[in-house]
Amino acid sequence: MGREQWKKIWVGSAGNMVEWFDWFVYATFAVYFADSFFPEGNETANLMNTMGIFAVGFFMRPVGGWMLGRIGDRRGRKAALTLTVTLMSASAILIAIAPTYDVAGYGGVAVLLVARLLQGLSVGGEYAASATYLTEASAPHRRGFASSFQYVSMTAGQLIGLGLQIILQRNMSDAALHSWGWRIPFIVGALGAAIVFYLRRSMLETEVYAESGAAEQEDRGTLKALWRHKREAFLVMALTMGGTVAYYTYTTYLTKFLSKSAGMEKSTASLVSFCALFVFMCIQPLAGLLSDRIGRRPLLITFAVGSTFLTVPIMSMLKHAGTFWPAFGLALLALVVVTGYTSINACVKAELFPTGIRALGVALPYAIANAIFGGTAEYVALWFKKSGVESGFYWYVAGCAAVSLVVYLTMRETRDIDLGRVGADRRTGQAAPAESSGATGVTPAS
C-alpha cells in the first residue's frame, strides 16, 4: 500500500476511534454514574435504567444510518464523516455537564437521553461511512486488510477508554469516581472529536466515488434506490445479527459481567478487558489479510460455528474464573472467535452494493440489526440476571450466532467483486464482472 492509501486509512480510522471512544465510555463508566441520575435504590435496577438509555441510543442508529448514509451517497463520504464526528462531540459535551438527580431531579436523565440520541445518530452513520470509505480507499486485493482497521480503530477507542478508567481507578477514590470523576472521559472525548474534525476537513474523497458518476444519479442515496437492493439489505441484517451480539457481549458487557457476576474487583475486571482487547485489536489486520487470500466466507463461518458451540461453556467458565489469568484466557479465546466477523464485516457489506447506494445500503440495515440485537444485548443480559436465570443469556448469544451461520453458509463470496460495477447489470439479472482473472460476478457458495 502506498503512502496515500495509508493516509486515507489513518484519517478514516482516527475519527472512528474517537466516535467509539465516546460510545463505549458510556458503557464502561456506567457502573460509576448510574446512581447519579436516579433515586437511591436497587443498584442493579439503576444500572438497568442507565443501560436502557444506552439501548435508546441504538434505536436512533437507523435514523442516523438513513440520514448520514443519504448524505454519504449524495454529497460524498467526506461530508458524512465530518458530520458524524461533529454530532459525537456535541453529545460528549452534554454528558460531561449533565446535572445529577440531586441537582435537577430527572432533568439530568433528560440531558443524558438527548446526548445518547445524538450519539445514536452519529454512530448510525459513522459505521457505514467509515466502512465504505476504508473499503473504497484501498487497493482491490487489500480491501479485507484495509477495512479491518475499522475494528482496529473501534477497539483502540475502547482501549483508550478502558485505559483511562484503569488510571482513574488507581489514582482516585471510589467515592470521587462516583461523584465527579466519571465526567473526565467525556471531556476527553469532546476534545478528541474536535481534533478529528480538523483532520477530516482536509481528507480526500475516494476515487471509486469520485469517478463512478454516482454524484449525478438522481435517486442516489434514496430508499427507492435501496429497495431495488432489498435482498442485499436483508442479507446485511442477517449476517450482522450474530456478530453484533457476540461483540457487545465480550466487549462492553464483559467488564460488568466479571465484576457483578464473577465477583472480581472492578479494577481487575477492567484489566482483563484491556489486555484481551489489545490482543484482539492486533489480530484484526492479520485476519483481514487472510480474507484477501482465501475469501470472506471461511472466516465468517468459522466465527459462527465457534460462537454457536463455545459461547455457553466460555461464559459459564468466566463466571467462575476468579482470578486474572483464567479470565483473560477465556476472554481472549472468545474474542479470537469473534475476529472472524469483526475483521471483515465492513468490507463484506460494502461489497454487496453499487457506489450510488453503498453508504445507505450498509448504514440502514446494519443500524436496524444493531438496534434490535446489539443495543439490547446488555439489557437482555441484565434481565436474565435479575430474573435469576443468567445462563439463559449465554444460550441467547449462541442462538443468534446459529442464525447467522445459516446465512454465512448460503451467501455468496464477495472478495473478487468490482466495486465500480456492483449491480451494473441488475436490469438483466447478470452480475458485474469481477476484478481478477476471467471470473464473472460473485463466486457462488460451494
Side-chain angles (χ1 to χ4, degrees):
M1 289 183 123
R3 183 176 180 181
E4 198 63 43
Q5 296 273 329
W6 281 110
K7 180 180 178 181
K8 289 180 179 179
I9 291 174
W10 156 244
V11 175
S13 298
N16 203 36
M17 178 179 66
V18 174
E19 293 267 3
W20 287 92
F21 169 87
D22 288 339
W23 182 262
F24 280 119
V25 291
Y26 182 99
T28 56
F29 278 84
V31 292
Y32 291 107
F33 65 74
D35 293 335
S36 298
F37 293 98
F38 298 96
E40 292 186 9
N42 183 275
E43 184 178 356
T44 300
N46 284 347
L47 185 58
M48 283 187 68
N49 289 332
T50 306
M51 296 318 299
I53 295 176
F54 179 77
V56 166
F58 276 86
F59 284 98
M60 284 301 291
R61 288 175 68 161
V63 179
W66 167 75
M67 181 180 74
L68 293 162
R70 179 182 173 88
I71 291 173
D73 285 327
R74 298 187 72 85
R75 299 187 180 180
R77 318 312 188 201
K78 174 183 174 180
L81 286 167
T82 302
L83 181 55
T84 60
V85 78
T86 303
L87 293 172
M88 186 60 80
S89 178
S91 66
I93 292 173
L94 282 176
I95 297 175
I97 64 174
T100 63
Y101 181 82
D102 292 337
V103 174
Y106 285 106
V109 175
V111 173
L112 202 63
L113 183 60
V114 170
R116 286 297 297 167
L117 293 177
L118 287 177
Q119 282 190 335
L121 283 173
S122 175
V123 177
E126 171 66 23
Y127 174 87
S130 62
T132 302
Y133 188 87
L134 289 171
T135 302
E136 290 182 348
S138 61
H141 64 289
R142 285 289 181 266
R143 291 202 298 253
F145 174 73
S147 66
S148 70
F149 280 87
Q150 183 179 51
Y151 270 81
V152 170
S153 58
M154 286 171 60
T155 307
Q158 187 176 3
L159 283 173
I160 293 171
L162 278 171
L164 181 57
Q165 185 180 51
I166 292 171
I167 292 172
L168 294 177
Q169 286 171 338
R170 296 182 183 278
N171 292 276
M172 296 180 66
S173 66
D174 196 62
L177 278 171
H178 279 85
S179 176
W180 60 272
W182 60 265
R183 298 181 186 271
I184 295 175
F186 296 103
I187 297 173
V188 172
L191 293 174
I195 295 173
V196 174
F197 175 80
Y198 173 78
L199 292 174
R200 283 188 166 176
R201 288 187 64 186
S202 61
M203 72 190 300
L204 302 174
E205 187 58 82
T206 66
E207 292 181 5
V208 171
Y209 180 83
E211 298 176 0
S212 67
E216 283 72 47
Q217 298 173 13
E218 292 185 4
D219 65 346
R220 65 193 185 280
T222 64
L223 294 176
K224 178 182 178 181
L226 180 59
W227 185 249
R228 292 200 296 270
H229 302 273
K230 54 184 177 294
R231 180 183 179 277
E232 289 79 5
F234 284 115
L235 180 60
V236 168
M237 293 178 63
L239 66 86
T240 298
M241 178 182 178
T244 191
V245 171
Y247 178 74
Y248 281 100
T249 297
Y250 297 119
T251 55
T252 58
Y253 181 61
L254 181 63
T255 303
K256 287 183 281 296
F257 178 78
L258 291 176
S259 62
K260 299 295 183 181
S261 298
M264 283 189 178
E265 293 290 332
K266 290 177 182 177
S267 57
T268 304
S270 297
L271 186 60
V272 169
S273 292
F274 183 91
C275 294
L277 283 170
F278 180 79
V279 179
F280 171 75
M281 177 183 69
C282 293
I283 64 177
Q284 298 304 298
L286 300 178
L289 276 174
L290 181 62
S291 79
D292 286 327
R293 293 183 63 86
I294 68 174
R296 321 300 188 207
R297 288 181 67 249
L299 271 71
L300 291 171
I301 292 171
T302 299
F303 149 71
V305 170
S307 191
T308 299
F309 294 102
L310 294 179
T311 295
V312 174
I314 287 176
M315 294 295 289
S316 299
M317 288 187 286
L318 271 173
K319 188 172 182 178
H320 301 95
T323 58
F324 173 83
W325 286 108
F328 168 72
L330 289 166
L332 182 58
L333 173 61
L335 287 171
V336 168
V337 171
V338 174
T339 295
Y341 167 81
T342 56
S343 60
I344 58 171
N345 82 97
C347 66
V348 170
K349 294 163 188 172
E351 288 165 345
L352 292 173
F353 297 94
T355 305
I357 196 64
R358 184 167 293 131
L360 181 61
V362 175
L364 187 56
Y366 170 80
I368 292 173
N370 250 274
I372 297 173
F373 301 106
T376 59
E378 290 193 54
Y379 193 85
V380 171
L382 290 170
W383 181 85
F384 274 112
K385 178 180 174 62
K386 189 177 181 181
S387 300
V389 285
E390 189 168 31
S391 61
F393 177 68
Y394 315 162
W395 290 99
Y396 170 76
V397 177
C400 290
V403 173
S404 287
L405 174 59
V406 175
V407 177
Y408 302 153
L409 289 171
T410 56
M411 70 180 289
R412 294 179 174 183
E413 181 59 67
T414 62
R415 179 188 60 178
D416 295 323
I417 284 178
D418 184 343
L419 291 181
R421 300 194 63 189
V422 179
D425 302 305
R426 180 164 298 277
R427 285 180 298 178
T428 65
Q430 297 176 349
E435 292 163 331
S436 60
S437 67
T440 58
V442 289
T443 306
S446 57

